[in-house]
Amino acid sequence: MKSLYGKFLAMTAIIMVMSTVIAFLIVNTYYHQNMKEENSAKNISIVQQIATYIESEQPPNLEFFLRTEAAVGYKLVLVSPTEEIEFFGAPFREHNLAQEAIDQVLDGQVYNGMQNFPTETFMTGFFADESSNTVGSPVLYQGDRYALFLRPDIKLLFTEVHLLLGGMVIVIAIISFLAMLFFAKKLIDPITELTKATKQIGDEKFVESLDIARQDEIGQLAQSFSQMVERLKQNDQMRKQFISDVSHDFQSPLLNIRGYASLLNKREVDEETRQQYASIIESETERLSTLTKQLLLLTSLDQLKTPLQKKTYALDEQIRDVVRNYQWQIVNKELSLELEVEPITYQGDPAFLEKVWDNLISNAVKYTEQGSIRISLKELSEEIVFCIEDSGIGIEEEHMPQLFERFYRADSSRTKEIEGTGLGLAIVQQVVELHSGTIDMKSELDKGTKITVYLPKKNEK
Ligand code: ADP
């Protein structure tokens, strides 16, 4: 049986049958251990009372008297002095009363066949309908010694109360079984639904919502499942968006390169135009190269399995080196540069952190046409603070929340004139997060931008 429901049903049925068998064995053992002696003593006293009555009253018709006694719920065996055997009441299933037992009682002793009835695991002595499973007492009747054997007639003693109780047990068993079926179905239905939904996700079909409103563990599972589906859906969307962005960003420089290359092939192109086309091709190639490098960097940050390659090194020197690379552009644009970096050693991944400074400084230079750029690096008790402030084009409030998303560029005409991929800040954020740091960004359109990076000195990643 493969389904959970089937297993549940089979287990319930097995448990019910097993518990019945075990209960029977326990009760049977209890009868043999504790009740057999009491029961046989009780029956001996009954047979002795009957014997005493017969002896004292000497009823004129002994057979009639014993038949009446049997009618009350007993099976009786009367053995005459000449060893004639007479039965009263319903016949025994098996007549196996031993000759020694008869002789013993005729000799004047009491016979206790109930007490000495063999102890068997699967057969309870209480129900064994055999003439050896009796108690016997001698009876003096009309001057002769008879032997009288007795055992209760279970069938006669089995009254309506017992039938009702038995019926009740069967009804309870049936109701419990049906209730188990019902609750098992209730329990398993949501699991079946979850399984179906899981299969759909395997086929990239994201279910809208699960119809499982429960508070228990299955409810929690369904809730986590829905959250997981939501995240997968977002990831899937992001993945598709990412692919479309990447394709688009590759497509336009490639089209330019192809266009200008075919123009170059024409004979009538003069030297000046040829140089112009060649430099466009060069700059488009440069753009593709930057884009590829940044994408590769982002992918390696995404798939970072080994911890960061940390080193303790002079952060101020690294920043000075990066600034130096932009010196000529700063001079070219006639910007003033304020550099206030304290000598600081920091434990971090130098290769990744270099990209942070590079992207932030290149943005400040790119998006500032006139004025100044101020860069500072300070050490506080718990953290290192890097701050870069420019007097550039600034960013409109509405773009601020998305600037750190991949491929996002503030949608202003001035930004569009400036080369960029929209990946720089995404890289900055990811590297800073890997160093357990945070970024703060303040900007005002046409006034400038201030970005502060906080790097905690102690970070476990
Ligand atoms: P890009 O390659 O376009 O510069 P980034 O991820 O580095 O990509 O930056 C995302 C966007 O944020 C930029 O397109 C620009 O609109 C805005 N931005 C970033 N830095 C500055 C800055 N210093 N001044 C003005 N705008 C900025």
Side-chain angles (χ1 to χ4, degrees), residues 317-334:
E317 275 175 28
Q318 185 178 46
I319 290 168
R320 276 180 209 282
D321 285 345
V322 178
V323 172
R324 208 164 294 132
N325 293 339
Y326 290 92
Q327 200 72 43
W328 68 270
Q329 288 187 44
I330 296 170
V331 173
N332 227 12
K333 283 184 156 182
E334 296 178 0

Side-chain angles (χ1 to χ4, degrees), residues 19-86:
S19 48
T20 312
V21 172
I22 291 169
F24 174 79
L25 291 180
I26 292 173
V27 170
N28 193 34
T29 311
Y30 184 77
Y31 170 76
H32 283 299
Q33 301 281 331
N34 304 307
M35 281 171 69
K36 203 155 98 167
E37 199 176 334
E38 225 174 89
N39 189 42
S40 55
K42 194 172 81 188
N43 283 298
I44 286 176
S45 118
I46 291 169
V47 82
Q48 281 178 336
Q49 277 176 39
I50 295 174
T52 316
Y53 180 81
I54 294 171
E55 282 173 10
S56 65
E57 297 301 320
Q58 295 291 318
N61 189 340
L62 185 59
E63 275 88 11
F64 177 74
F65 172 71
L66 289 177
R67 256 199 307 277
T68 333
E69 287 297 308
V72 207
Y74 293 101
K75 293 185 176 192
L76 296 163
V77 185
L78 183 70
V79 185
S80 69
T82 53
E83 302 213 347
E84 271 172 52
I85 299 179
E86 238 183 305

Side-chain angles (χ1 to χ4, degrees), residues 294 359 363-364 366-367 390 393-395 403 408-410 415 419-426 441 443 449 451:
Q294 287 187 322
N359 286 329
N363 277 354
K366 263 198 310 191
Y367 299 108
D390 63 58
I393 62 172
I395 305 152
L403 285 182
Y408 192 86
R409 305 196 70 209
T415 317
E419 281 283 308
T421 57
L423 293 174
L425 288 183
M441 187 170 193
S443 189
T449 307
I451 298 179

